[in-house]
Amino acid sequence: MGITNLISCLLLLIMFSGSSAAPDGSVHNNDEDGGGVCKSMVDNQNYPCEEHNVTTYDGYVLSLQRISSDHAGRSPSHRQPVLLQHGLMMDAASWLLAPPTQSLPYLLADNGFDVWISSSRGTEQSRRHKILLADSPDYWDWSWDELAACDLTAMVHHVQRTTSQKLHYVGHSLGTTLVMAELSEGRLTQSLRSAALLSPIAYLGRVTSVLVRLIADRYLPEILHTLGVYELNLNSEIVSRILTLICDEPNIDCTNLLTAFTGPNCCVKPSVMDKFLAHEPQPTSTKNLIHLAQMIRSGKIAKYDYKSYADNSRRYGQPTPPLYNLKNIPRDFPLFLAYGGADQLSEVNGVRLLIKDLKRHIRDKLIITYIPNYGHADLVIAENANKLVFDPLMSFFKRH
């Protein structure tokens, strides 16, 4: 389908679909919806769980859960805090889908860590703002630049203030991008002990997902934004119809949408996948998708490009968006990096470019784990991730 025909189809869909806000037009709230992640997912596993709210400096109210274990054998003051940050179109629930013996938060808690799980702005648990409503365009005026500089910073500082300790960090997918961006610019190094990068996202120029590359190459997020779609919600009527159009393209199989986006996952139980589909995907901003599409087309990791010399100069002091120089990540900052050979987003060649940036890292401060048959989601919800990923990760944390 050509660009002109695609724009015409999208315009017709928008005209007959109405609002580009959430399907029910509402502002979701973790308090109003019945208690949040603790009540809906953790309490029935008999782990102590606290709900926290964190407000960013630009006014977004974020949901954060704290999980511990009565059997960990350590007093709260001796438990090292760990913050878990989900990936694109995910939320805190993505860490809690497998049984406790296979879920990273519960395993960390059982091993004496103080576990914190975040949900980024725009997700169902974090849709509040001090002033803006979630159906307003201004609410969705952000990309992952703001997720890094605002959301991640606010959550890290909240955990640090609450525990009076530096913390470990675990990011999956886009969650790795956020912490690498902040570390590369000299921030958070005094607040974090270490960072684990699961399915790291940095250099996207070699993404092999046919669906993702088609979306980027045809400027679909930019077209949607121009037509007034500011919230990207895969469960909304308009986006579902657009995906149906795209999935009719040759060489694209959308029978399993997760596989279509990320590539195959080898080791996720069907029961866990059912839970995944019940909780995910979560909304994000269309602007965030534009930013990622820019990274795919350019092959670079840079700040959001406003496609205007004047706008870029006003925001960045230069006509083009500055790069995030990952070589600036301190060479003595402990990093644990794990990726899979079947991943079509955190693709092997892209990860190798990241590892090249880290080649000056002190040897025992950089641990790299490669699992040939793992896909994008396997790093979090595979039935054997506890042995292949989480056990080595906890050993890494205990050394640092």
Side-chain angles (χ1 to χ4, degrees), residues 209-276:
S209 166
V210 177
L211 176 59
V212 170
R213 183 156 297 276
L214 183 147
I215 289 171
D217 289 346
R218 296 196 180 178
Y219 290 79
L220 184 58
E222 287 88 342
I223 294 171
L224 287 171
H225 197 268
T226 300
L227 296 176
V229 179
Y230 305 110
E231 173 185 356
L232 204 294
N233 186 343
L234 293 185
N235 294 318
S236 69
E237 182 181 3
I238 179 173
V239 177
S240 295
R241 291 183 180 183
I242 292 167
L243 277 176
T244 299
L245 288 174
I246 296 172
C247 290
D248 285 338
E249 293 280 329
N251 303 318
I252 295 181
D253 180 6
C254 293
T255 306
N256 183 320
L257 203 54
L258 177 63
T259 299
F261 275 107
T262 71
N265 294 282
C266 70
C267 307
V268 180
K269 287 184 176 178
S271 59
V272 174
M273 184 57 68
D274 289 343
K275 288 184 179 180
F276 176 89

Side-chain angles (χ1 to χ4, degrees), residues 171-174 176 197-201 338-340 343 346 351 375-377 379:
H172 176 243
S173 190
L174 189 63
T176 69
L197 312 175
L198 309 182
S199 302
I201 295 292
Y339 65 112
D343 196 332
S346 179
V351 176
H376 199 70
L379 271 293

Side-chain angles (χ1 to χ4, degrees), residues 141-143 145-146 225 287 290-291 294 303-316 319-321:
D141 187 19
W142 48 267
S143 78
D145 285 333
E146 286 74 27
H225 197 268
K287 185 175 178 179
I290 293 173
H291 194 174
Q294 290 173 352
K303 295 182 184 292
Y304 185 87
D305 189 353
Y306 288 87
K307 298 299 180 180
S308 161
Y309 282 1
D311 289 345
N312 283 336
S313 296
R314 184 171 63 253
R315 292 174 180 272
Y316 307 129
T320 56

Side-chain angles (χ1 to χ4, degrees), residues 329-381:
I329 296 175
R331 60 191 298 267
D332 61 347
F333 184 85
L335 293 174
F336 178 97
L337 190 156
Y339 65 112
D343 196 332
Q344 294 182 6
L345 293 182
S346 179
E347 189 268 336
V348 170
N349 291 307
V351 176
R352 286 173 179 166
L353 290 175
L354 169 61
I355 293 171
K356 185 177 179 181
D357 278 350
L358 302 173
K359 66 181 180 180
R360 295 181 60 254
H361 230 70
I362 296 174
R363 176 169 296 187
D364 66 350
K365 301 291 186 180
L366 176 62
I367 302 299
I368 298 173
T369 298
Y370 172 66
I371 306 171
N373 63 330
Y374 259 27
H376 199 70
D378 284 314
L379 271 293
V380 174
I381 55 176

Side-chain angles (χ1 to χ4, degrees), residues 270-298:
S271 59
V272 174
M273 184 57 68
D274 289 343
K275 288 184 179 180
F276 176 89
L277 295 174
H279 288 280
E280 318 294 353
Q282 292 288 316
T284 189
S285 73
T286 306
K287 185 175 178 179
N288 195 25
L289 273 256
I290 293 173
H291 194 174
L292 291 165
Q294 290 173 352
M295 293 167 62
I296 291 171
R297 293 191 297 263
S298 71

